[in-house]
Amino acid sequence: MSKTKIIIANWKMKVPHQGAANLLRRFSHLSFPAGIEAVVCPDFLALPLAAKTLSLRKLKLGAQDAAFIDRGAYTGEISPTDIKSLGATYVILGHSERRQYLGETDALINKKLQAVLAVPGLIPVVCVGEKARGKNPKAVLQKQLAGAFKDIRLKPGQRLVVAYEPVWAIGTGRVIKRSEVVLAHLLILGWLTKRFSPTQCQVLYGGSVDAKNAANFSDISVVDGLLVGGASLEPKSFLTICRSMLK
Ligand code: 13P
């Protein structure tokens, strides 16, 4: 049975707060096709506004990160429970930008994953990917997966998403070859399905996906959706990307 494809807009820290209301309003006017799950991940400051502006039946909400623990004296952190109660369904964890600029390790991502999975209804999107093209992606992916998923168990009905985002393809315009995507996704899916039920896992691709190249991924059976950065800031492009994945 094929799964509903998930297309996630990761706005990163690219939208000034004053512009968020307008962008959210433009997203709220889009009609997303049936058969895909479209998700918007604004920054934390815009999350409550997003929950008010968007119809959460048409479009799901996500956060770009979460704390590794749910409550306590952790200055500056954001509780997974609060993320859920604000209306979010998804949480991106371990994005390569957080690994690179904030020093996030696989061990920290593992703690965040545990904290997110402890909140009923919250779905983690764990990002993995090699830094340099062709430099032993298999070993990098296996190490990241083993670190992030150490001792993780899923309850019946719980879901998890992994996003394969090769760092060399993020924000660079470098388009990945079909064979490279297939190889990485098969590896990730194989790894996950040895530990979890195939019905509970989905693997997305991210890295310089745009309205022109999104259709390249639509017929790859091991690509369950996309994680989109730059092109998700333009509502029409994001809609085109969503539509392309159904072709
Ligand atoms: P771009 O689509 O801008 O390459 O970003 C990808 C990404 O990092 C999404 O999380």
Side-chain angles (χ1 to χ4, degrees), residues 10 12 14 95 97 165 169-172 206-209 227-231:
N10 177 10
K12 309 192 178 185
K14 291 191 170 183
H95 192 281
E97 287 147 12
E165 292 211 309
I170 296 179
T172 58
S208 293
V209 173
L227 178 52
V228 188

Side-chain angles (χ1 to χ4, degrees), residues 177-197:
K177 284 193 215 133
R178 193 180 175 91
S179 57
E180 292 173 302
V181 183
V182 171
L183 210 67
H185 279 237
L186 280 175
L187 185 142
I188 294 166
L189 263 178
W191 196 95
L192 291 172
T193 53
K194 270 193 203 130
R195 290 150 183 93
F196 310 109
S197 156

Side-chain angles (χ1 to χ4, degrees), residues 20-34:
N22 182 40
L23 188 56
L24 286 166
R25 208 170 323 105
R26 290 172 64 209
F27 265 74
S28 73
H29 293 143
L30 301 176
S31 306
F32 290 97

Side-chain angles (χ1 to χ4, degrees), residues 43-64:
D43 63 35
F44 281 122
L45 294 179
L47 207 52
L49 186 62
K52 277 201 203 111
T53 313
L54 303 171
S55 158
L56 299 183
R57 279 192 315 276
K58 288 201 310 193
L59 198 57
K60 297 282 184 249
L61 259 190
Q64 298 178 14

